[in-house]
Amino acid sequence: MTNHESDGRNGRDIGERDLRRRKFLAAAGGVGIAGIAGCNETDDGSDGGDGGGAVGQIGSGRTGRDAPGGTPMAEMPPLEGELTVYSGRGEFLVGELVSYIDGLYDDLDLTVRYGGSTDLVNQIANEGEGSPADVFYSVNAGALGALADEGRTQALPEEITELVREEFRTEQWVGTSGRARTVPYNTDEFSEDDLPDDIMAYPDEFEGDLGWAPSYGSAQAFVTAMRLLEGEEATREWLEAMVERGAATYPDEFRTCQEIADGEIDAAFTNHYYIQRVLDGNPEAPIATAFTEGDAGAVFNVAGAAVVDSAADADLAANFVRHLLSAEAQDYFARSTFEYPLIPDVEPIGDLPTIDELDVPDIDLSELSNLEPTIDLMREAGVEI
């Protein structure tokens, strides 16, 4: 069995939770690093309220960070009526955001069901036209594409989808936040100039000790991207070279980045936000972010949302999705989950290039969920997963 990631806690049973509507207190702080740092990731507000119409922040702010740009929730259509969201994003990551949106509107009756993205796609499919789901909120584009392929989504209004670059949306779903594949490295041992900008070169050309988390869902999606871009034979050779050189194996990508910061290995392949989480806990940690160019090592995947075809109120469901692209929500993703905001007016946290500066490959993100051929290939190459 592989250790598939979920954007919720490991072993969390899929269950329905009625989120209690609670008043947001800025002093309560955001999702803390201790709460998210070690958790698996993939299958895995208002006007600001100080009277001036300024955009507020959900949770605690980051020192020196200005108020976010973009459209505040106060300028979006109000949410009124009954709404059920199936969320493949874990409550510990996005529960505060969802509760904040819920608390803004007295006439909104919001129910959220948390679970793994793939499990929820299957559940919506099995429930048929009687599914109570109005919105599907997924940790990855693959699950969104799978639900759309089942014919269980409906087109979003253009005024919502056009907020996001065309690479990160379709007519049926829209990305809400993103994560870049990166090469974290130990700055005590190497400089960025020492690192290849071609992911295929690492097993043979990088002189330091490498690590990875091959049983982790995001790592398997990365190998899937390599398989799609480079072909099975080249990917098999890359995997065999990683095994032959004795790359250290870890259970997850946060742990992998911690090992880099501790000097146990020199570089690895992870999503960008794990590096930021290490630095959030220890700003002096000797770890930094490098990027490859236009290959599988530079894939940019997104979390996103879609309106289910059987939604009782499609306008309400679409407007909820719009709220995930608000200034407050995009700033929340940057500050609290360390993801890339997808709205140009909100910048990522950390010393990172903007999305426009990344050299990402041309790949259909929905194909990254097809992991079975990848897992078979990894096992054939001798990778223990």
Side-chain angles (χ1 to χ4, degrees):
M1 294 290 292
T2 61
N3 175 27
H4 291 291
E5 297 170 276
S6 67
D7 200 32
R9 297 191 186 281
N10 291 340
R12 182 194 294 275
D13 292 331
I14 298 176
E16 187 170 280
R17 297 176 176 83
D18 291 327
L19 289 175
R20 295 179 180 178
R21 189 177 280 115
R22 59 185 183 268
K23 183 178 180 181
F24 170 72
L25 298 176
V31 176
I33 188 67
I36 62 176
C39 298
N40 287 351
E41 185 72 35
T42 318
D43 199 280
D44 149 314
S46 69
D47 60 351
D50 65 356
V55 176
Q57 291 184 330
I58 301 170
S60 59
R62 300 274 165 193
T63 302
R65 186 169 175 85
D66 295 333
T71 304
M73 293 183 189
E75 297 179 12
M76 295 183 172
L79 303 179
E80 301 175 351
E82 295 184 0
L83 184 72
T84 298
V85 176
Y86 279 19
S87 178
R89 306 225 61 187
E91 185 176 7
F92 72 103
L93 281 177
V94 301
E96 184 177 20
L97 169 63
V98 174
S99 292
Y100 180 56
I101 295 173
D102 188 17
L104 288 178
Y105 302 105
D106 292 338
D107 295 327
L108 175 64
D109 183 3
L110 178 63
T111 299
V112 182
R113 176 176 293 178
Y114 290 100
S117 290
T118 300
D119 292 334
L120 291 174
V121 168
N122 292 333
Q123 186 159 340
I124 292 171
N126 291 334
E127 289 169 343
E129 293 301 311
S131 175
D134 299 303
V135 173
F136 174 51
Y137 185 21
S138 173
V139 69
N140 60 57
L144 291 164
L147 189 64
D149 289 344
E150 291 284 336
R152 297 307 312 278
T153 61
Q154 56 183 289
L156 287 164
E158 287 187 7
E159 60 264 28
I160 295 177
T161 57
E162 69 184 7
L163 295 172
V164 174
R165 272 175 43 175
E166 62 181 358
E167 299 98 314
F168 310 131
R169 59 177 164 88
T170 69
E171 291 184 352
Q172 301 295 311
W173 58 264
V174 65
T176 55
S177 58
R179 52 191 178 273
R181 291 303 290 182
T182 60
V183 181
Y185 65 97
N186 185 286
T187 56
D188 286 343
E189 300 296 331
F190 291 89
S191 70
E192 187 173 1
D193 292 339
D194 297 324
L195 303 174
D197 58 15
D198 177 3
I199 196 67
M200 305 304 289
Y202 272 86
D204 294 327
E205 296 182 15
F206 183 67
E207 296 180 358
D209 294 326
L210 284 174
W212 61 337
S215 64
Y216 213 45
S218 57
Q220 292 173 2
F222 150 64
V223 177
T224 300
M226 184 182 295
R227 180 173 59 80
L228 295 172
L229 291 166
E230 305 290 344
E232 290 207 1
E233 187 57 37
T235 302
R236 179 184 288 105
E237 291 176 0
W238 190 91
L239 292 167
E240 290 172 344
M242 285 288 288
V243 172
E244 184 177 349
R245 69 170 289 156
T249 298
Y250 300 102
D252 60 66
E253 292 187 349
F254 177 70
R255 167 72 180 280
T256 304
C257 288
Q258 285 182 311
E259 296 293 330
I260 293 173
D262 291 342
E264 296 300 321
I265 55 176
D266 298 308
F269 316 111
T270 74
N271 285 341
H272 80 277
Y273 44 66
Y274 294 114
I275 305 163
Q276 299 306 315
R277 292 175 187 177
V278 169
L279 290 169
D280 191 59
N282 177 15
E284 303 303 318
I287 186 172
T289 308
F291 295 85
T292 59
E293 297 180 358
D295 55 29
V299 167
F300 190 96
N301 205 343
V302 297
V307 175
V308 180
D309 68 323
S310 55
D313 186 337
D315 289 338
L316 173 59
N319 284 330
F320 178 85
V321 175
R322 186 194 304 254
H323 277 62
L324 297 177
L325 294 170
S326 66
E328 297 94 330
Q330 292 292 295
D331 183 62
Y332 173 89
F333 294 133
R335 293 182 300 103
S336 294
T337 65
F338 298 97
E339 294 173 282
Y340 266 93
L342 295 189
I343 298 302
D345 295 322
V346 183
E347 296 182 352
I349 288 286
D351 185 18
L352 295 171
T354 65
I355 294 177
D356 291 339
E357 294 170 328
L358 296 175
D359 185 0
V360 302
D362 183 11
I363 191 170
D364 182 352
L365 295 178
S366 65
E367 294 187 36
L368 298 184
S369 63
N370 185 18
L371 296 180
E372 187 173 353
T374 298
I375 293 170
D376 289 342
L377 185 62
M378 294 174 76
R379 287 174 172 158
E380 291 171 7
V383 179
E384 294 186 6
I385 55 177

